[in-house]
């Protein structure tokens, strides 16, 4: 996969050299190119922003540097043999970045990121590139960062670990929170490793029983408990066919009951408790 990042803070992307993403780059699974937006400014002050049309506070990133920088990154990518670019625009006003979006982006051969600063990028830049390629505006959460570089790091790490061969153990992400399949819409439960007892805290017996069926069931129960406690909205959204008889028992103990449409809702009695 090829990744291009255009930014006014190339050094902010240094973490892409370490750990999982760094190793994927070293192995040639990820080809990351970071471009300094200011390279495509032509005035003495390397200006990338200007006052907003219509007035108001803050500054807006200008069309020209972005257009020239993106054209150059795109031309360079095509020359290197990359195909089918997708523009990923981090913005708090984008669609939520979820595991599902990460899976979809991991299937793309080429992602181009446009982390912005100030009040964001002049809208015409996204409109222009939308005529040439898919454009995904994504938000990593309901809060506002000072810039999009941290969002690029988040998205890149979530995407890179899904690429074939990047994680040592291919099964590692199958049990993850939000992983498609049996655990879809459930958070992963707690995990443990040696020693068996630490400062008086033992590991749950079932995990050392060697009984795979019981361990799988315990993990599922814990996932249900954690999701019901931390993200009840995920349980409410779950397709009820995903719940087996034992899931339903656990949910019932936790105060959840099926509505006539089959979806689970927490009983009001328990909400008041
Ligand atoms: N005025 C903008 C708004 O309210 O939508 C906020 C601009 S923010 C200060 C500057 C840049 O940080 C954004 O253009 C985007 O690149 C990035 N950013 C901030 N919060 C983000 C979030 N939650 N998800 C993704 N990118 C974000």
């Amino acid at each position: 996969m090829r990744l291009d990042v255009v930014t006014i803070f190339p050094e902010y992307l240094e973490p892409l050299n370490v750990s999982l993403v760094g190793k994927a780059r070293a192995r040639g699974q990820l080809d990351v190119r970071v471009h300094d937006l200011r390279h495509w400014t032509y005035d003495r002050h390397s200006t990338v922003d200007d006052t907003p049309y219509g007035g108001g506070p803050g500054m807006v990133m200008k069309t020209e540097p972005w257009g020239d920088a993106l054209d150059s990154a795109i031309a360079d990518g095509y020359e290197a043999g990359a195909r089918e670019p997708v523009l990923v625009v981090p913005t708090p006003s984008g669609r939520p970045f979820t595991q599902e979006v990460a899976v979809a982006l991991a299937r793309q051969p080429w992602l181009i990121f446009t982390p912005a600063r100030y009040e964001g990028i002049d809208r015409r830049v996204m409109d222009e590139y939308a005529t040439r390629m898919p454009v995904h505006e994504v938000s990593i959460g309901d809060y506002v960062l000072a810039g999009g570089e941290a969002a690029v790091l988040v998205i890149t790490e979530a995407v890179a670990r899904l690429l074939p061969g990047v994680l040592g153990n291919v099964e590692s992400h199958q049990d993850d929170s939000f992983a498609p399949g049996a655990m879809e819409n459930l958070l992963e439960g707690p995990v443990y490793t040696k020693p068996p007892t630490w400062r008086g805290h033992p590991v749950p017996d079932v995990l050392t029983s060697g009984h795979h069926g019981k361990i799988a069931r315990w993990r599922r129960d814990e996932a249900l408990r954690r999701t019901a406690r931390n993200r009840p909205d995920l349980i409410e959204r779950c397709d009820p066919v995903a719940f087996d008889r034992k899931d339903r028992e656990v949910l019932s103990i936790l105060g959840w009951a099926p509505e006539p449409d089959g979806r689970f809702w927490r009983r009001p009695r328990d909400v008041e408790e």
Side-chain angles (χ1 to χ4, degrees), residues 159-182:
V159 168
R161 66 191 292 282
L162 297 174
L163 298 178
V166 167
L167 281 188
N169 180 350
V170 282
E171 286 166 13
S172 297
H173 51 72
Q174 287 170 7
D175 287 343
D176 282 341
S177 304
F178 314 112

Side-chain angles (χ1 to χ4, degrees), residues 75-98:
D76 183 64
Y78 277 122
E79 217 163 281
R83 292 289 174 269
E84 297 173 43
V86 169
L87 198 67
V88 183
V89 181
T91 165
S93 49
R95 296 221 170 104
F97 179 67
T98 60

Side-chain angles (χ1 to χ4, degrees), residues 90-93 114-120 138-141 143-148 151:
T91 165
S93 49
T114 60
R117 291 269 150 179
Y118 314 108
E119 295 308 317
V138 289
S139 165
I140 62 162
Y143 39 78
V144 178
L145 301 165

